[in-house]
Amino acid sequence: MPYTRTVAENTIISDDKSLLDVDFIHSYLVRAYWCAGIPRATLERAIEGSLSFGIYQDSKQAGFARVVTDSATFGYLADFFVHEDFQGKGLGTLLVGAIMEHPALQGLRRFSLATRDAHGLYRKFGFTPVRAPERWMEKSDPDIYRNSVRRPPA
Ligand SMILES: CC(C)(COP(=O)(O)OP(=O)(O)OC[C@H]1O[C@@H](n2cnc3c(N)ncnc32)[C@H](O)[C@@H]1OP(=O)(O)O)[C@@H](O)C(=O)NCCC(=O)NCCS
């Protein structure tokens, strides 16, 4: 049973993957600062393996986010965006709010995210800087999509 909420006039948020406009999502994320160049097939796998949310105004998709989670102890909020045509009207705030209320995301011990400049948006929902950064490690390959782009033969 999909989780679908009417959050404002003509505006819904849903985790129903069949509603997602993957062309729209890919056309945004392929130029986003955190995953520029992401192949469409990689995005499709990510959507499939995540709790994936769309926000829609008059049935047109305006934004997207996904949560990588075990639905019990941990969640990671990723690929959160509101398209430029819809920014600054409260949709990002509504989307974070609906995600925080999702039944599969209650009682998590840790909910993480990374952001360059949208800290204010998440702070309202209780997110804070990492308390003990010295305990955290990562294995990161930030150029993976750039490096995997096939270059034409010289
Ligand atoms: C960050 C983002 C999701 C906010 O969505 P939105 O619908 O514009 O958000 P809201 O209207 O609910 O406003 C939320 C906050 O974002 C700020 N904001 C609004 N429009 C913005 C814009 N065009 N650029 C940057 N910040 C903006 C608001 O000032 C508000 O901050 P406040 O709560 O401190 O007042 C959206 O601007 C976006 O997709 N940006 C580019 C992608 C990105 O940075 N994603 C987050 C990666 S973690």
Side-chain angles (χ1 to χ4, degrees):
M1 182 78 168
Y3 168 84
T4 302
R5 290 281 177 280
T6 300
V7 291
E9 204 182 329
N10 304 327
T11 308
I12 67 159
I13 291 170
S14 180
D15 69 358
D16 184 346
K17 291 187 173 105
S18 72
L19 298 180
L20 293 170
D21 180 345
V22 180
D23 287 336
F24 164 83
I25 300 165
H26 185 247
S27 70
Y28 188 94
L29 290 179
V30 79
R31 59 191 171 79
Y33 72 83
W34 64 88
C35 62
I38 184 170
R40 189 187 158 107
T42 304
L43 173 64
E44 286 173 4
R45 275 169 51 206
I47 289 172
E48 204 44 49
S50 306
L51 199 51
S52 298
F53 295 86
I55 181 163
Y56 307 86
Q57 225 164 34
D58 297 317
S59 304
K60 189 178 169 4
Q61 190 163 354
F64 171 76
R66 63 189 180 88
V67 179
V68 184
T69 184
D70 58 10
S71 302
T73 68
F74 179 77
Y76 182 79
L77 181 60
D79 292 343
F80 193 107
F81 73 87
V82 171
H83 188 275
E84 289 89 344
D85 293 349
F86 297 88
Q87 285 177 12
K89 296 189 280 189
L91 298 189
T93 304
L94 290 170
L95 184 51
V96 185
I99 291 171
M100 300 312 289
E101 288 175 7
H102 192 285
L105 301 174
Q106 303 311 305
L108 304 183
R109 183 166 182 273
R110 178 169 282 120
F111 205 155
S112 296
L113 63 84
T115 186
R116 186 175 65 184
D117 47 22
H119 305 75
L121 172 62
Y122 305 114
R123 203 173 288 126
K124 286 182 274 189
F125 294 91
F127 288 89
T128 65
V130 174
R131 199 178 314 145
E134 71 282 0
R135 293 188 182 188
W136 281 78
M137 295 179 75
E138 66 177 3
K139 185 169 181 293
S140 168
D141 185 352
D143 291 330
I144 191 167
Y145 303 138
R146 246 184 300 271
N147 295 340
S148 67
V149 171
R150 293 183 56 169
R151 294 174 208 293

mmCIF file of all heavy atoms in Angstrom, residues 28 32-34 77-84 86-96 113-124, ligand 1:
data_model
loop_
_atom_site.group_PDB
_atom_site.id
_atom_site.type_symbol
_atom_site.label_atom_id
_atom_site.label_comp_id
_atom_site.label_asym_id
_atom_site.label_seq_id
_atom_site.Cartn_x
_atom_site.Cartn_y
_atom_site.Cartn_z
ATOM 1 N N TYR A 28 17.654 16.037 -13.881
ATOM 2 C CA TYR A 28 18.138 16.907 -12.803
ATOM 3 C C TYR A 28 19.435 16.355 -12.213
ATOM 4 O O TYR A 28 20.450 17.064 -12.100
ATOM 5 C CB TYR A 28 17.080 17.059 -11.683
ATOM 6 C CG TYR A 28 17.504 18.100 -10.674
ATOM 7 C CD1 TYR A 28 17.084 19.413 -10.798
ATOM 8 C CD2 TYR A 28 18.395 17.783 -9.648
ATOM 9 C CE1 TYR A 28 17.518 20.393 -9.906
ATOM 10 C CE2 TYR A 28 18.835 18.749 -8.758
ATOM 11 C CZ TYR A 28 18.384 20.048 -8.895
ATOM 12 O OH TYR A 28 18.836 21.014 -8.022
ATOM 13 N N ALA A 32 23.528 17.506 -11.105
ATOM 14 C CA ALA A 32 23.615 17.918 -9.698
ATOM 15 C C ALA A 32 25.066 17.863 -9.215
ATOM 16 O O ALA A 32 25.843 17.021 -9.663
ATOM 17 C CB ALA A 32 22.749 17.006 -8.835
ATOM 18 N N TYR A 33 25.435 18.740 -8.257
ATOM 19 C CA TYR A 33 26.842 18.835 -7.850
ATOM 20 C C TYR A 33 27.344 17.560 -7.208
ATOM 21 O O TYR A 33 28.528 17.274 -7.231
ATOM 22 C CB TYR A 33 27.057 20.043 -6.923
ATOM 23 C CG TYR A 33 26.484 19.915 -5.525
ATOM 24 C CD1 TYR A 33 27.191 19.250 -4.517
ATOM 25 C CD2 TYR A 33 25.260 20.476 -5.187
ATOM 26 C CE1 TYR A 33 26.671 19.129 -3.242
ATOM 27 C CE2 TYR A 33 24.737 20.365 -3.918
ATOM 28 C CZ TYR A 33 25.435 19.686 -2.943
ATOM 29 O OH TYR A 33 24.929 19.564 -1.674
ATOM 30 N N TRP A 34 26.440 16.758 -6.598
ATOM 31 C CA TRP A 34 26.911 15.588 -5.850
ATOM 32 C C TRP A 34 26.958 14.307 -6.667
ATOM 33 O O TRP A 34 27.550 13.334 -6.205
ATOM 34 C CB TRP A 34 26.062 15.385 -4.596
ATOM 35 C CG TRP A 34 24.613 15.062 -4.857
ATOM 36 C CD1 TRP A 34 24.085 13.820 -5.041
ATOM 37 C CD2 TRP A 34 23.538 15.989 -4.983
ATOM 38 N NE1 TRP A 34 22.737 13.918 -5.275
ATOM 39 C CE2 TRP A 34 22.365 15.241 -5.237
ATOM 40 C CE3 TRP A 34 23.422 17.385 -4.902
ATOM 41 C CZ2 TRP A 34 21.115 15.833 -5.419
ATOM 42 C CZ3 TRP A 34 22.173 17.966 -5.073
ATOM 43 C CH2 TRP A 34 21.050 17.202 -5.325
ATOM 44 N N LEU A 77 19.347 9.769 3.836
ATOM 45 C CA LEU A 77 18.565 10.588 2.904
ATOM 46 C C LEU A 77 19.465 11.035 1.759
ATOM 47 O O LEU A 77 20.520 11.620 1.985
ATOM 48 C CB LEU A 77 18.001 11.795 3.657
ATOM 49 C CG LEU A 77 17.118 12.779 2.891
ATOM 50 C CD1 LEU A 77 15.880 12.098 2.320
ATOM 51 C CD2 LEU A 77 16.721 13.930 3.804
ATOM 52 N N ALA A 78 19.051 10.764 0.539
ATOM 53 C CA ALA A 78 19.933 11.014 -0.606
ATOM 54 C C ALA A 78 19.159 11.637 -1.770
ATOM 55 O O ALA A 78 17.930 11.513 -1.865
ATOM 56 C CB ALA A 78 20.543 9.688 -1.067
ATOM 57 N N ASP A 79 19.922 12.290 -2.654
ATOM 58 C CA ASP A 79 19.405 12.776 -3.941
ATOM 59 C C ASP A 79 18.172 13.655 -3.780
ATOM 60 O O ASP A 79 17.237 13.592 -4.583
ATOM 61 C CB ASP A 79 19.106 11.585 -4.871
ATOM 62 C CG ASP A 79 20.366 10.864 -5.304
ATOM 63 O OD1 ASP A 79 21.462 11.451 -5.166
ATOM 64 O OD2 ASP A 79 20.276 9.713 -5.757
ATOM 65 N N PHE A 80 18.189 14.479 -2.749
ATOM 66 C CA PHE A 80 17.044 15.349 -2.441
ATOM 67 C C PHE A 80 17.113 16.601 -3.317
ATOM 68 O O PHE A 80 18.085 17.345 -3.295
ATOM 69 C CB PHE A 80 17.114 15.756 -0.969
ATOM 70 C CG PHE A 80 15.858 16.391 -0.438
ATOM 71 C CD1 PHE A 80 15.045 15.688 0.428
ATOM 72 C CD2 PHE A 80 15.488 17.673 -0.815
ATOM 73 C CE1 PHE A 80 13.880 16.268 0.928
ATOM 74 C CE2 PHE A 80 14.329 18.239 -0.333
ATOM 75 C CZ PHE A 80 13.521 17.544 0.545
ATOM 76 N N PHE A 81 16.071 16.851 -4.086
ATOM 77 C CA PHE A 81 16.024 18.120 -4.828
ATOM 78 C C PHE A 81 14.587 18.538 -5.104
ATOM 79 O O PHE A 81 13.681 17.716 -5.170
ATOM 80 C CB PHE A 81 16.813 18.040 -6.150
ATOM 81 C CG PHE A 81 16.139 17.221 -7.228
ATOM 82 C CD1 PHE A 81 15.213 17.804 -8.089
ATOM 83 C CD2 PHE A 81 16.425 15.877 -7.386
ATOM 84 C CE1 PHE A 81 14.596 17.061 -9.091
ATOM 85 C CE2 PHE A 81 15.805 15.122 -8.381
ATOM 86 C CZ PHE A 81 14.885 15.712 -9.235
ATOM 87 N N VAL A 82 14.436 19.851 -5.254
ATOM 88 C CA VAL A 82 13.218 20.439 -5.799
ATOM 89 C C VAL A 82 13.667 21.163 -7.065
ATOM 90 O O VAL A 82 14.640 21.928 -7.040
ATOM 91 C CB VAL A 82 12.575 21.423 -4.791
ATOM 92 C CG1 VAL A 82 11.437 22.200 -5.437
ATOM 93 C CG2 VAL A 82 12.085 20.665 -3.560
ATOM 94 N N HIS A 83 13.012 20.902 -8.170
ATOM 95 C CA HIS A 83 13.399 21.499 -9.453
ATOM 96 C C HIS A 83 13.348 23.028 -9.362
ATOM 97 O O HIS A 83 12.483 23.587 -8.673
ATOM 98 C CB HIS A 83 12.444 21.005 -10.556
ATOM 99 C CG HIS A 83 12.880 21.405 -11.924
ATOM 100 N ND1 HIS A 83 12.564 22.621 -12.485
ATOM 101 C CD2 HIS A 83 13.633 20.748 -12.842
ATOM 102 C CE1 HIS A 83 13.093 22.693 -13.689
ATOM 103 N NE2 HIS A 83 13.749 21.566 -13.941
ATOM 104 N N GLU A 84 14.252 23.686 -10.066
ATOM 105 C CA GLU A 84 14.357 25.155 -10.028
ATOM 106 C C GLU A 84 13.003 25.845 -10.237
ATOM 107 O O GLU A 84 12.713 26.862 -9.601
ATOM 108 C CB GLU A 84 15.322 25.670 -11.109
ATOM 109 C CG GLU A 84 16.792 25.375 -10.854
ATOM 110 C CD GLU A 84 17.251 24.026 -11.411
ATOM 111 O OE1 GLU A 84 16.378 23.176 -11.721
ATOM 112 O OE2 GLU A 84 18.473 23.817 -11.522
ATOM 113 N N PHE A 86 10.251 25.138 -9.160
ATOM 114 C CA PHE A 86 9.347 24.985 -8.010
ATOM 115 C C PHE A 86 10.005 25.394 -6.699
ATOM 116 O O PHE A 86 9.397 25.264 -5.640
ATOM 117 C CB PHE A 86 8.898 23.517 -7.894
ATOM 118 C CG PHE A 86 8.102 23.015 -9.071
ATOM 119 C CD1 PHE A 86 8.730 22.472 -10.178
ATOM 120 C CD2 PHE A 86 6.710 23.074 -9.064
ATOM 121 C CE1 PHE A 86 7.997 21.990 -11.261
ATOM 122 C CE2 PHE A 86 5.972 22.605 -10.130
ATOM 123 C CZ PHE A 86 6.614 22.063 -11.239
ATOM 124 N N GLN A 87 11.255 25.870 -6.743
ATOM 125 C CA GLN A 87 11.972 26.164 -5.500
ATOM 126 C C GLN A 87 11.429 27.417 -4.815
ATOM 127 O O GLN A 87 10.818 28.272 -5.453
ATOM 128 C CB GLN A 87 13.468 26.355 -5.779
ATOM 129 C CG GLN A 87 14.195 25.058 -6.050
ATOM 130 C CD GLN A 87 15.660 25.258 -6.391
ATOM 131 O OE1 GLN A 87 16.219 26.335 -6.231
ATOM 132 N NE2 GLN A 87 16.290 24.199 -6.885
ATOM 133 N N GLY A 88 11.689 27.514 -3.522
ATOM 134 C CA GLY A 88 11.370 28.718 -2.761
ATOM 135 C C GLY A 88 9.899 28.850 -2.417
ATOM 136 O O GLY A 88 9.454 29.914 -1.988
ATOM 137 N N LYS A 89 9.120 27.757 -2.576
ATOM 138 C CA LYS A 89 7.677 27.826 -2.282
ATOM 139 C C LYS A 89 7.274 26.855 -1.176
ATOM 140 O O LYS A 89 6.110 26.521 -1.026
ATOM 141 C CB LYS A 89 6.889 27.527 -3.553
ATOM 142 C CG LYS A 89 7.106 28.584 -4.648
ATOM 143 C CD LYS A 89 6.160 28.409 -5.814
ATOM 144 C CE LYS A 89 6.655 27.310 -6.738
ATOM 145 N NZ LYS A 89 5.884 27.247 -8.001
ATOM 146 N N GLY A 90 8.258 26.344 -0.464
ATOM 147 C CA GLY A 90 7.942 25.473 0.665
ATOM 148 C C GLY A 90 7.886 23.990 0.337
ATOM 149 O O GLY A 90 7.662 23.166 1.232
ATOM 150 N N LEU A 91 8.084 23.623 -0.916
ATOM 151 C CA LEU A 91 7.943 22.198 -1.269
ATOM 152 C C LEU A 91 9.033 21.341 -0.636
ATOM 153 O O LEU A 91 8.783 20.214 -0.204
ATOM 154 C CB LEU A 91 7.937 22.008 -2.795
ATOM 155 C CG LEU A 91 6.808 22.675 -3.571
ATOM 156 C CD1 LEU A 91 6.796 22.211 -5.029
ATOM 157 C CD2 LEU A 91 5.450 22.401 -2.943
ATOM 158 N N GLY A 92 10.258 21.884 -0.570
ATOM 159 C CA GLY A 92 11.349 21.123 0.055
ATOM 160 C C GLY A 92 11.031 20.818 1.509
ATOM 161 O O GLY A 92 11.219 19.693 1.987
ATOM 162 N N THR A 93 10.503 21.809 2.204
ATOM 163 C CA THR A 93 10.138 21.616 3.608
ATOM 164 C C THR A 93 9.029 20.570 3.744
ATOM 165 O O THR A 93 9.085 19.693 4.611
ATOM 166 C CB THR A 93 9.681 22.960 4.217
ATOM 167 O OG1 THR A 93 10.737 23.913 4.036
ATOM 168 C CG2 THR A 93 9.371 22.833 5.693
ATOM 169 N N LEU A 94 8.035 20.639 2.853
ATOM 170 C CA LEU A 94 6.946 19.653 2.898
ATOM 171 C C LEU A 94 7.482 18.247 2.621
ATOM 172 O O LEU A 94 7.045 17.268 3.242
ATOM 173 C CB LEU A 94 5.868 20.013 1.863
ATOM 174 C CG LEU A 94 5.046 21.264 2.183
ATOM 175 C CD1 LEU A 94 4.194 21.664 0.969
ATOM 176 C CD2 LEU A 94 4.160 21.030 3.404
ATOM 177 N N LEU A 95 8.440 18.150 1.710
ATOM 178 C CA LEU A 95 8.977 16.823 1.363
ATOM 179 C C LEU A 95 9.774 16.237 2.533
ATOM 180 O O LEU A 95 9.596 15.057 2.879
ATOM 181 C CB LEU A 95 9.829 16.924 0.087
ATOM 182 C CG LEU A 95 10.387 15.620 -0.485
ATOM 183 C CD1 LEU A 95 9.311 14.555 -0.646
ATOM 184 C CD2 LEU A 95 11.077 15.882 -1.833
ATOM 185 N N VAL A 96 10.629 17.035 3.159
ATOM 186 C CA VAL A 96 11.350 16.503 4.328
ATOM 187 C C VAL A 96 10.347 16.074 5.403
ATOM 188 O O VAL A 96 10.454 14.988 5.987
ATOM 189 C CB VAL A 96 12.343 17.516 4.944
ATOM 190 C CG1 VAL A 96 13.144 16.850 6.062
ATOM 191 C CG2 VAL A 96 13.299 18.071 3.917
ATOM 192 N N LEU A 113 22.520 12.279 6.533
ATOM 193 C CA LEU A 113 22.492 12.898 5.210
ATOM 194 C C LEU A 113 23.760 13.721 5.061
ATOM 195 O O LEU A 113 24.439 14.022 6.054
ATOM 196 C CB LEU A 113 21.244 13.781 5.025
ATOM 197 C CG LEU A 113 21.066 15.009 5.918
ATOM 198 C CD1 LEU A 113 21.824 16.226 5.381
ATOM 199 C CD2 LEU A 113 19.595 15.373 6.014
ATOM 200 N N ALA A 114 24.065 14.102 3.829
ATOM 201 C CA ALA A 114 25.184 15.011 3.568
ATOM 202 C C ALA A 114 24.658 16.141 2.696
ATOM 203 O O ALA A 114 23.843 15.909 1.794
ATOM 204 C CB ALA A 114 26.306 14.262 2.843
ATOM 205 N N THR A 115 25.095 17.367 2.994
ATOM 206 C CA THR A 115 24.655 18.506 2.197
ATOM 207 C C THR A 115 25.740 19.562 2.153
ATOM 208 O O THR A 115 26.506 19.710 3.107
ATOM 209 C CB THR A 115 23.346 19.105 2.773
ATOM 210 O OG1 THR A 115 22.884 20.132 1.889
ATOM 211 C CG2 THR A 115 23.530 19.684 4.168
ATOM 212 N N ARG A 116 25.824 20.297 1.043
ATOM 213 C CA ARG A 116 26.815 21.377 0.919
ATOM 214 C C ARG A 116 26.282 22.659 1.552
ATOM 215 O O ARG A 116 27.005 23.350 2.246
ATOM 216 C CB ARG A 116 27.131 21.597 -0.572
ATOM 217 C CG ARG A 116 28.241 22.587 -0.834
ATOM 218 C CD ARG A 116 28.585 22.657 -2.315
ATOM 219 N NE ARG A 116 27.468 23.180 -3.108
ATOM 220 C CZ ARG A 116 27.471 23.281 -4.434
ATOM 221 N NH1 ARG A 116 28.523 22.860 -5.127
ATOM 222 N NH2 ARG A 116 26.430 23.760 -5.081
ATOM 223 N N ASP A 117 25.001 22.986 1.307
ATOM 224 C CA ASP A 117 24.512 24.300 1.753
ATOM 225 C C ASP A 117 23.042 24.337 2.187
ATOM 226 O O ASP A 117 22.513 25.419 2.417
ATOM 227 C CB ASP A 117 24.738 25.349 0.655
ATOM 228 C CG ASP A 117 24.295 24.858 -0.708
ATOM 229 O OD1 ASP A 117 23.459 23.937 -0.745
ATOM 230 O OD2 ASP A 117 24.779 25.380 -1.717
ATOM 231 N N ALA A 118 22.391 23.183 2.299
ATOM 232 C CA ALA A 118 20.969 23.214 2.657
ATOM 233 C C ALA A 118 20.746 22.811 4.119
ATOM 234 O O ALA A 118 19.673 22.308 4.474
ATOM 235 C CB ALA A 118 20.170 22.307 1.726
ATOM 236 N N HIS A 119 21.742 23.085 4.988
ATOM 237 C CA HIS A 119 21.640 22.654 6.396
ATOM 238 C C HIS A 119 20.384 23.194 7.079
ATOM 239 O O HIS A 119 19.755 22.506 7.877
ATOM 240 C CB HIS A 119 22.878 23.101 7.175
ATOM 241 C CG HIS A 119 24.167 22.632 6.579
ATOM 242 N ND1 HIS A 119 24.701 23.198 5.450
ATOM 243 C CD2 HIS A 119 25.005 21.649 6.934
ATOM 244 C CE1 HIS A 119 25.820 22.577 5.133
ATOM 245 N NE2 HIS A 119 26.032 21.630 6.015
ATOM 246 N N GLY A 120 20.013 24.448 6.748
ATOM 247 C CA GLY A 120 18.861 25.079 7.397
ATOM 248 C C GLY A 120 17.575 24.302 7.181
ATOM 249 O O GLY A 120 16.728 24.216 8.068
ATOM 250 N N LEU A 121 17.449 23.726 5.983
ATOM 251 C CA LEU A 121 16.253 22.950 5.654
ATOM 252 C C LEU A 121 16.104 21.750 6.578
ATOM 253 O O LEU A 121 15.024 21.453 7.078
ATOM 254 C CB LEU A 121 16.364 22.502 4.185
ATOM 255 C CG LEU A 121 15.334 21.521 3.642
ATOM 256 C CD1 LEU A 121 13.939 22.113 3.693
ATOM 257 C CD2 LEU A 121 15.688 21.145 2.204
ATOM 258 N N TYR A 122 17.212 21.058 6.830
ATOM 259 C CA TYR A 122 17.162 19.816 7.611
ATOM 260 C C TYR A 122 17.207 20.079 9.121
ATOM 261 O O TYR A 122 16.704 19.276 9.902
ATOM 262 C CB TYR A 122 18.316 18.900 7.194
ATOM 263 C CG TYR A 122 18.337 18.626 5.712
ATOM 264 C CD1 TYR A 122 19.359 19.085 4.897
ATOM 265 C CD2 TYR A 122 17.302 17.904 5.110
ATOM 266 C CE1 TYR A 122 19.362 18.846 3.533
ATOM 267 C CE2 TYR A 122 17.294 17.664 3.746
ATOM 268 C CZ TYR A 122 18.330 18.141 2.969
ATOM 269 O OH TYR A 122 18.329 17.901 1.617
ATOM 270 N N ARG A 123 17.834 21.192 9.502
ATOM 271 C CA ARG A 123 17.949 21.516 10.932
ATOM 272 C C ARG A 123 16.569 21.600 11.582
ATOM 273 O O ARG A 123 16.380 21.186 12.717
ATOM 274 C CB ARG A 123 18.706 22.846 11.085
ATOM 275 C CG ARG A 123 19.365 23.032 12.427
ATOM 276 C CD ARG A 123 20.228 24.287 12.461
ATOM 277 N NE ARG A 123 21.456 24.157 11.680
ATOM 278 C CZ ARG A 123 21.843 24.999 10.722
ATOM 279 N NH1 ARG A 123 21.116 26.044 10.396
ATOM 280 N NH2 ARG A 123 22.979 24.806 10.072
ATOM 281 N N LYS A 124 15.604 22.135 10.809
ATOM 282 C CA LYS A 124 14.234 22.270 11.338
ATOM 283 C C LYS A 124 13.640 20.922 11.756
ATOM 284 O O LYS A 124 12.693 20.875 12.525
ATOM 285 C CB LYS A 124 13.319 22.879 10.265
ATOM 286 C CG LYS A 124 13.515 24.346 10.034
ATOM 287 C CD LYS A 124 12.534 24.886 8.999
ATOM 288 C CE LYS A 124 13.065 24.718 7.601
ATOM 289 N NZ LYS A 124 12.288 25.384 6.550
HETATM 290 C C1 LIG B 1 17.511 22.856 -1.105
HETATM 291 C C2 LIG B 1 16.159 22.660 -1.804
HETATM 292 C C3 LIG B 1 15.778 21.203 -1.778
HETATM 293 C C4 LIG B 1 15.102 23.482 -1.062
HETATM 294 O O1 LIG B 1 13.845 23.251 -1.713
HETATM 295 P P1 LIG B 1 12.732 24.415 -1.713
HETATM 296 O O2 LIG B 1 11.433 23.846 -2.146
HETATM 297 O O3 LIG B 1 13.254 25.567 -2.446
HETATM 298 O O4 LIG B 1 12.689 24.681 -0.138
HETATM 299 P P2 LIG B 1 11.696 25.569 0.703
HETATM 300 O O5 LIG B 1 10.964 26.567 -0.167
HETATM 301 O O6 LIG B 1 10.894 24.654 1.548
HETATM 302 O O7 LIG B 1 12.721 26.357 1.600
HETATM 303 C C5 LIG B 1 13.596 25.637 2.438
HETATM 304 C C6 LIG B 1 14.870 26.379 2.634
HETATM 305 O O8 LIG B 1 15.611 26.454 1.411
HETATM 306 C C7 LIG B 1 15.917 27.847 1.116
HETATM 307 N N1 LIG B 1 15.791 28.057 -0.322
HETATM 308 C C8 LIG B 1 14.680 28.294 -1.002
HETATM 309 N N2 LIG B 1 14.942 28.439 -2.313
HETATM 310 C C9 LIG B 1 16.265 28.253 -2.449
HETATM 311 C C10 LIG B 1 17.140 28.262 -3.549
HETATM 312 N N3 LIG B 1 16.694 28.523 -4.789
HETATM 313 N N4 LIG B 1 18.445 27.990 -3.340
HETATM 314 C C11 LIG B 1 18.896 27.736 -2.098
HETATM 315 N N5 LIG B 1 18.108 27.739 -1.001
HETATM 316 C C12 LIG B 1 16.815 27.995 -1.179
HETATM 317 C C13 LIG B 1 14.883 28.654 1.853
HETATM 318 O O9 LIG B 1 15.414 29.937 2.164
HETATM 319 C C14 LIG B 1 14.641 27.833 3.076
HETATM 320 O O10 LIG B 1 15.621 28.084 4.035
HETATM 321 P P3 LIG B 1 15.183 28.420 5.522
HETATM 322 O O11 LIG B 1 14.368 27.238 5.976
HETATM 323 O O12 LIG B 1 16.482 28.557 6.236
HETATM 324 O O13 LIG B 1 14.382 29.664 5.387
HETATM 325 C C15 LIG B 1 16.201 23.180 -3.256
HETATM 326 O O14 LIG B 1 16.595 24.546 -3.265
HETATM 327 C C16 LIG B 1 17.138 22.392 -4.121
HETATM 328 O O15 LIG B 1 16.743 21.375 -4.674
HETATM 329 N N6 LIG B 1 18.365 22.878 -4.287
HETATM 330 C C17 LIG B 1 19.329 22.279 -5.159
HETATM 331 C C18 LIG B 1 19.661 20.862 -4.792
HETATM 332 C C19 LIG B 1 20.154 20.733 -3.389
HETATM 333 O O16 LIG B 1 20.985 21.520 -2.929
HETATM 334 N N7 LIG B 1 19.639 19.718 -2.717
HETATM 335 C C20 LIG B 1 20.001 19.413 -1.376
HETATM 336 C C21 LIG B 1 21.128 18.440 -1.390
HETATM 337 S S1 LIG B 1 21.305 17.750 0.222
#
